[in-house]
Each structure stands twice: as C-alpha cells, then as structure tokens.
Amino acid sequence: MPASTIAIICIYLGFALLELWRTNLFRKSEQTRDDGIVEAVSMVMLLGLTQPAVLFTSATLAGMIAPQWEGALSGINIFLAIGLFLILDDMMQYWWHRASHSFHWLYNLHRAHHNAKYMSVRLVYRNNIFYYAMMPGIWLSGVLIYLGLGWVYAGYIVVKLLVITGAHSDVAWDKPLYKIKWLSPVMWVVERTISTPATHHAHHGRHADDPAVQYKGNYGNLLFFWDVLFGTAKITRSFPKSYGVENLAPATLGQQLMWPIFPENREMEPSVGEEATAKVA
C-alpha cells in the first residue's frame, strides 16, 4: 500500500477517533438510517473504484493521445508542479462544486452531501457515486500523473485530505484559536488561504437567515482562497446553529446514491412556495 494512502487513512481515522471521543461519531443529531448507508457506500465506491479508475483511465487516454509526452514534466520545479495541481485539481473542484449549487441536474449529484443534518468526517466522501466520476479535477490529475507528476500528487493529496477532513469535522480545530488574541493576525491569513471548520461549516448551515451561513458560497476544498478570489467568501469566525438545507424535500436512498438511475421522487418535491425559499432554488 502506498505511503500516501496510509497517511490518508491515518488522518481520517485520527479525526474519526477525535469525534468518537468528543462528539459521538456514530450518533449524530438528527441522523437517519439512510445516512450511514449513503456514507459507507459512497466512501467505498470512491476510494475503492471511482478515483483509481478515473486516474488510470485518464492517464491511459493521455498515453494514447500523446505517447511522446509521458513523463514530460517529471523534472519541473516542485512549486510549479504543486501550482499545477492547485489550479487543475483544486480550482477546478471549486468551479465544479460551485456549478453543483447552480444547476438543478448537477445538484442532484451533490445533494447527498447536504442531506445530512450534522457535520462530521463522515461527510468527506459523501456524494452520489457519479459525482466524483464526472469531476474534472480527478481526470486532470490523471493527466498530470501521466506527465510525470505522480510523486507530487502523492504528497499533494495527503495535504488536501488533511485540510478537507479537518474542515468537515464537528470537532472544530480553529474555534479555540480564535480566542487567542495574539493569533488573530495569523488566523486572518489562515482562514483566507485554506478551508477551516468555520468557513466550511458555513456552507453546510441550514437556515439562510443565520448570520453564520453561506450556502451559496464557501465552495473551496483545499484552498479557501478561490472563494476570496472569485467573490464567494464569507468569514464570520462563528458556526451555524444547525445543518442541512431548509425547505428541501427529502431524497430517497436510491436518489442520493444513484440519481438519475433512481429519479427524483416527485411526490416529495416541495411546493412552489417552499421551493422559492429553498437555498438551492
């Protein structure tokens, strides 16, 4: 097993154990039976099938199209290599995430992530199984690996998962740091650079009138800087009172995991008045 994979597993288990100790990992407020199923299936599918298959397929296609370019970037400066992943993977994921909150059909591939009415490391990989298969950043990462940057990706993905896992955890690592006055300038930079629990929890907040909620923004994954750059950032250093999506009809287990194979349950669709106030309308 690659060292990067071991590191990612250790990071995830570390945050999971922290939640188990501090906030009850397996019994979150308002969770349902379907929540655990969606989280388990989507995690196994992504890590065991989707991500490896996309990376392999992408690299294979690149080899068929441009065999002469294999390993062409293997000798470039490491900071330039990291920059390529930040732009072609992380920034592209920002736009993919933002688009999923802008187009109804794409939101159906992402809504499972927001169906949960709690925050937890359990949400990190929670999405429709087709959501990641279509994610441009994973396909482009496969191309960069083909071009010789696999060694950079191994470290990059560990750092990215460290930030993302910490941002989803309901044991907020940044909360106590905001109370330390001399750290305020440091945190000012941090919260505008990477995703933190405060900025990402805002994206998962339930009620639009909650001052700590920014459902139509705070889309960043590794870098929150993309939100700052593209005008979707909201920084409050506070946390939502509750999580989920207000006025959004419930989704069936099949719809959460495999829409459009399992289409929307029209009987559960919100009325016109409710849909007008829903944050995804």
Side-chain angles (χ1 to χ4, degrees):
M1 183 180 294
S4 60
T5 302
I6 295 174
I8 290 171
I9 292 173
C10 289
I11 289 168
Y12 189 87
L13 290 178
F15 276 103
L17 289 172
L18 190 60
E19 279 193 29
L20 186 64
W21 172 43
R22 296 286 299 277
T23 62
N24 204 337
L25 175 65
F26 298 111
R27 292 187 179 181
K28 299 299 184 182
S29 175
E30 300 185 70
Q31 77 173 44
T32 67
R33 178 188 65 87
D34 286 353
D35 286 326
I37 297 174
V38 173
E39 289 154 5
V41 172
S42 55
M43 177 185 288
V44 170
M45 286 296 296
L46 173 64
L47 300 181
L49 178 62
T50 306
Q51 188 174 31
V54 170
L55 291 174
F56 174 80
T57 303
S58 176
T60 300
L61 290 174
M64 294 171 62
I65 296 170
Q68 72 277 17
W69 290 355
E70 183 176 4
L73 299 181
S74 58
I76 69 171
N77 179 276
I78 186 171
F79 294 106
L80 178 57
I82 293 171
L84 287 174
F85 279 108
L86 288 175
I87 293 172
L88 297 181
D89 174 67
D90 197 57
M91 189 183 75
M92 289 300 294
Q93 189 172 352
Y94 163 87
W95 284 108
W96 177 250
H97 188 189
R98 183 170 175 173
S100 73
H101 284 266
S102 303
F103 301 98
H104 180 74
W105 70 270
L106 189 51
Y107 185 76
N108 278 335
L109 298 179
H110 181 56
R111 67 171 291 170
H113 192 68
H114 290 278
N115 259 55
K117 296 180 179 179
Y118 50 84
M119 291 302 294
S120 173
V121 297
R122 290 165 47 179
L123 305 187
V124 173
Y125 302 108
R126 175 176 173 153
N127 267 301
N128 182 297
I129 63 174
F130 302 120
Y131 180 78
Y132 290 111
M134 296 170 61
M135 186 177 289
I138 302 179
W139 288 89
L140 292 172
S141 291
V143 174
L144 291 176
I145 290 171
Y146 169 75
L147 293 174
L149 299 183
W151 60 282
V152 178
Y153 184 74
Y156 164 81
I157 199 66
V158 170
V159 174
K160 182 170 182 173
L161 265 297
L162 173 63
V163 171
I164 293 175
T165 306
H168 282 87
S169 176
D170 66 354
V171 181
W173 60 263
D174 57 339
K175 197 170 186 178
L177 300 182
Y178 294 136
K179 300 176 182 178
I180 303 175
K181 189 173 182 179
W182 66 269
L183 274 180
S184 187
V186 176
M187 293 305 295
W188 188 94
V189 174
V190 169
E191 65 194 356
R192 285 165 176 78
T193 305
I194 64 171
S195 291
T196 64
T199 56
H200 196 68
H201 281 216
H203 178 68
H204 284 260
R206 186 181 306 183
H207 300 294
D209 60 358
D210 184 337
V213 169
Q214 172 72 333
Y215 192 71
K216 284 289 190 177
N218 291 25
Y219 300 117
N221 291 273
L222 168 53
L223 294 186
F224 186 73
F225 172 74
W226 304 127
D227 285 282
V228 177
L229 180 63
F230 298 117
T232 54
K234 182 176 182 179
I235 301 173
T236 65
R237 296 193 176 186
S238 57
F239 293 81
K241 297 180 178 64
S242 58
Y243 299 95
V245 182
E246 62 184 347
N247 298 327
L248 183 66
T252 64
L253 179 61
Q255 182 189 347
Q256 290 188 69
L257 284 172
M258 297 186 69
W259 183 92
I261 294 176
F262 293 93
E264 298 173 69
N265 187 341
R266 294 297 179 181
E267 294 180 359
M268 292 184 176
E269 285 290 286
S271 67
V272 175
E274 289 176 321
E275 190 171 4
T277 58
K279 291 181 289 183
V280 294

